[in-house]
Amino acid sequence: MECKSVVQIFLLVSLALHLAAAIPFRNVKPPPGEPDANAQHVDPADVENDIGDPKNDKAEDLDKGDKEDDKDENDDQGRHVIGDDKDDDNDDDNEEKEQELKFVKIPDGVEKLPVEKLRPVDHIDAVRMEQDGHINKDFHKEMFLGNHEEFEKDRYEEAESKLKDIVYKVDSDKDGKLSVAELEAWVNEKMEEHFSEATQENEEIFKHLDPDNNGKVHWKEYYVHFLLAKGFKQDLATRHVVDYDQIQLDPDAKEELIRYKFRWADADTEPMDNELTKEEFMSFRHPEQSEKTLNNMVVSILGGIDTNGDGVITEDEFAALPPGEVEGEEYQAMDKAWQKERQEEFRSALDLDHSGKVTKEELKRYLDPRNPIQALTEAKNLISYMDDDKDNALSMDEILRHKDIFISSKVMNFAANVHDEF
């Protein structure tokens, strides 16, 4: 009995020791500062990745914070990048505007020119026809008197006295009559005076528009001067030619600038850089002085008169009345007189071969003031208008009898102006 009990106790103790050795003590913590001999070696990185570990929770919180910081930084970077793009865009815009403004070389406080000086002339002295296709009513005055504006300022009697002085000058052989040759020589002299006057005026205007004397005027410079002449301040006008939203122009001014821009492009020969030299600027203001712009003028006038588009002008087309009808006998009589004037001009000056048709080349000869035939044609025309005794020369009496060709009374001028309005 006692032996059996001893054996049983021994077996129970052995089993307990065996079980104790087999169970790991994971929940037993070593005293502070002492290593846990039973703990397995664990890499810290693995610990931070273990779910549920308090250290991992803290790491997760830090990670979240880092990510939030990164997000904020990225957002800031994103916002900064966007801002940089805007800044870059603004820089590009500013650079582009600076590039555009480099063409605008206008000293501060520059004296503005009158609009009349800047406008390219619609009426050109010494050219038979206006650019809109109307006959130049002052052509005979311009060819014979030269600066006919001086006559218009004088009283009628004073103008008549000046006319007599001119007749004496034209009569080079002092025989009391003006021959075709004398008239032709005189007309050529007056024509050169017109060219010289236009050149001098062009020099003055170009010099004003080209303050740095580089020999070129950019369209934007001309544009700014046009705005200055219209009364706008210089800084506003300068900004407007870059942004085009600084100034509200009236419709007439806009239409003017559009026309002038086309004429500027016509005058801008190689290289076509939107800048005009002094010679090109002369073509801009006086298209009759340039072969290219004269050709453009011919095409424009031909297009306005040639109603059936066959490339030639007939007498009927040249003398056709504008659309619409006028009321009253006075205005109807003026229309008939206008038609008669056009018909006579067509036969005497345009249709020189009497074919009944005027080609593009004939129209160009008619318009080109430098064509030698112009002076001869005008001399013959003047004689045909005033040679009452048909001796192919003009006496003083004949010229004074027809002095209204050169000297118009105010009554006649008023009637002409009314007709021009129509």
Side-chain angles (χ1 to χ4, degrees):
M1 185 69 184
E2 290 179 2
C3 290
K4 185 177 178 180
S5 299
V6 170
V7 172
Q8 289 175 340
I9 291 170
F10 177 78
L11 290 172
L12 289 171
V13 171
S14 297
L15 181 60
L17 292 173
H18 179 72
L19 291 172
I23 299 173
F25 294 90
R26 291 181 61 90
N27 294 326
V28 178
K29 294 183 179 181
E34 292 185 13
D36 185 355
N38 294 320
Q40 296 180 345
H41 174 72
V42 181
D43 190 275
D46 292 336
V47 173
E48 290 180 0
N49 289 330
D50 282 345
I51 299 175
D53 186 84
K55 184 179 180 181
N56 176 61
D57 292 341
K58 182 179 180 180
E60 187 177 0
D61 291 338
L62 290 173
D63 186 53
K64 286 180 181 179
D66 290 340
K67 288 180 180 179
E68 289 294 328
D69 292 340
D70 290 342
K71 182 179 179 182
D72 291 340
E73 184 178 352
N74 288 335
D75 286 344
D76 289 339
Q77 288 177 348
R79 286 190 293 272
H80 181 64
V81 169
I82 292 172
D84 281 348
D85 288 342
K86 287 181 178 178
D87 291 341
D88 291 342
D89 289 342
N90 289 334
D91 289 343
D92 291 342
D93 289 343
N94 290 334
E95 184 176 350
E96 184 177 347
K97 289 176 183 178
E98 286 297 324
Q99 287 296 315
E100 292 185 45
L101 280 173
K102 74 178 183 180
F103 298 112
V104 183
K105 300 177 287 292
I106 301 177
D108 291 336
V110 65
E111 181 183 354
K112 66 181 182 181
L113 290 172
V115 178
E116 291 71 24
K117 290 283 187 181
L118 291 170
R119 286 189 176 113
V121 292
D122 288 325
H123 166 76
I124 303 170
D125 287 347
V127 177
R128 290 180 176 274
M129 187 178 287
E130 309 285 4
Q131 296 192 69
D132 56 6
H134 290 299
I135 294 174
N136 175 9
K137 295 180 181 297
D138 291 329
F139 182 73
H140 301 306
K141 297 180 188 179
E142 292 162 0
M143 291 295 91
F144 191 79
L145 304 178
N147 189 6
H148 67 95
E149 289 83 4
E150 292 298 321
F151 281 74
E152 294 171 0
K153 295 176 183 177
D154 294 332
R155 289 184 300 138
Y156 199 75
E157 295 77 10
E158 293 173 349
E160 183 178 328
S161 177
K162 285 186 177 181
L163 178 59
K164 290 179 181 179
D165 291 339
I166 290 175
V167 173
Y168 285 124
K169 290 179 182 177
V170 179
D171 184 16
S172 57
D173 61 5
K174 305 304 177 186
D175 66 349
K177 287 182 176 287
L178 305 185
S179 66
V180 172
E182 287 173 327
L183 283 168
E184 181 183 5
W186 179 259
V187 167
N188 271 321
E189 183 179 332
K190 295 299 105 179
M191 197 174 290
E192 288 301 321
E193 284 183 10
H194 287 299
F195 294 149
S196 177
E197 180 184 321
T199 301
Q200 179 62 32
E201 186 180 45
N202 190 72
E203 289 269 354
E204 294 172 359
I205 297 173
F206 189 87
K207 184 177 181 180
H208 187 89
L209 300 181
D210 181 32
D212 62 354
N213 296 315
N214 74 336
K216 288 189 173 185
V217 172
H218 196 275
W219 166 252
K220 291 184 182 294
E221 287 180 294
Y222 175 83
Y223 198 156
V224 170
H225 277 282
F226 183 84
L227 295 175
L228 292 178
K230 285 288 188 179
F232 295 101
K233 293 184 178 179
Q234 184 171 338
D235 59 340
L236 189 64
T238 304
R239 291 201 307 272
H240 178 75
V241 301
V242 176
D243 292 335
Y244 295 104
D245 60 356
Q246 304 292 317
I247 294 172
Q248 291 295 324
L249 288 173
D250 61 84
D252 289 341
K254 286 182 180 178
E255 186 179 339
E256 270 188 282
L257 285 166
I258 290 171
R259 288 201 315 271
Y260 301 164
K261 178 58 177 172
F262 277 113
R263 286 180 64 158
W264 190 276
D266 284 341
D268 187 14
T269 56
E270 297 296 336
M272 298 181 69
D273 51 6
N274 215 19
E275 293 181 290
L276 300 187
T277 63
K278 189 188 300 180
E279 292 73 22
E280 289 172 334
F281 190 70
M282 183 69 170
S283 300
F284 168 68
R285 300 195 73 251
H286 290 273
E288 82 284 0
Q289 302 275 9
S290 158
E291 183 76 13
K292 177 187 173 185
T293 50
L294 179 61
N295 285 332
N296 291 334
M297 186 175 169
V298 169
V299 171
S300 177
I301 291 176
L302 182 67
I305 299 176
D306 178 23
T307 53
N308 63 3
D310 62 354
V312 296
I313 302 172
T314 64
E315 183 177 321
D316 287 342
E317 287 176 325
F318 191 75
L321 288 169
E325 296 182 0
V326 294
E327 296 181 359
E329 292 182 3
E330 181 182 358
Y331 294 131
Q332 289 173 0
M334 288 172 59
D335 272 350
K336 288 179 181 178
W338 183 85
Q339 279 187 304
K340 184 178 179 181
E341 180 186 14
R342 302 276 292 190
Q343 288 166 347
E344 290 176 352
E345 185 75 11
F346 184 89
R347 295 166 191 167
S348 65
L350 263 161
D351 185 21
L352 298 181
D353 61 0
H354 306 294
S355 65
K357 295 180 179 180
V358 172
T359 65
K360 181 179 177 182
E361 285 304 314
E362 287 177 311
L363 179 59
K364 183 178 177 180
R365 271 200 309 271
Y366 172 80
L367 292 172
D368 186 0
R370 292 191 178 276
N371 190 330
I373 199 174
Q374 289 282 13
L376 178 58
T377 301
E378 179 60 12
K380 290 180 177 179
N381 283 342
L382 289 174
I383 289 178
S384 69
Y385 293 147
M386 295 180 279
D387 184 18
D388 295 331
D389 60 10
K390 306 301 177 185
D391 64 349
N392 205 32
L394 297 180
S395 65
M396 179 68 79
D397 288 340
E398 286 173 327
I399 291 174
L400 292 179
R401 200 177 302 133
H402 299 280
K403 60 189 173 186
D404 285 340
I405 289 178
F406 306 113
I407 307 171
S408 299
S409 69
K410 292 184 178 180
V411 174
M412 294 177 67
N413 278 335
F414 173 76
N417 289 335
V418 170
H419 182 267
D420 287 343
E421 289 299 320
F422 281 91

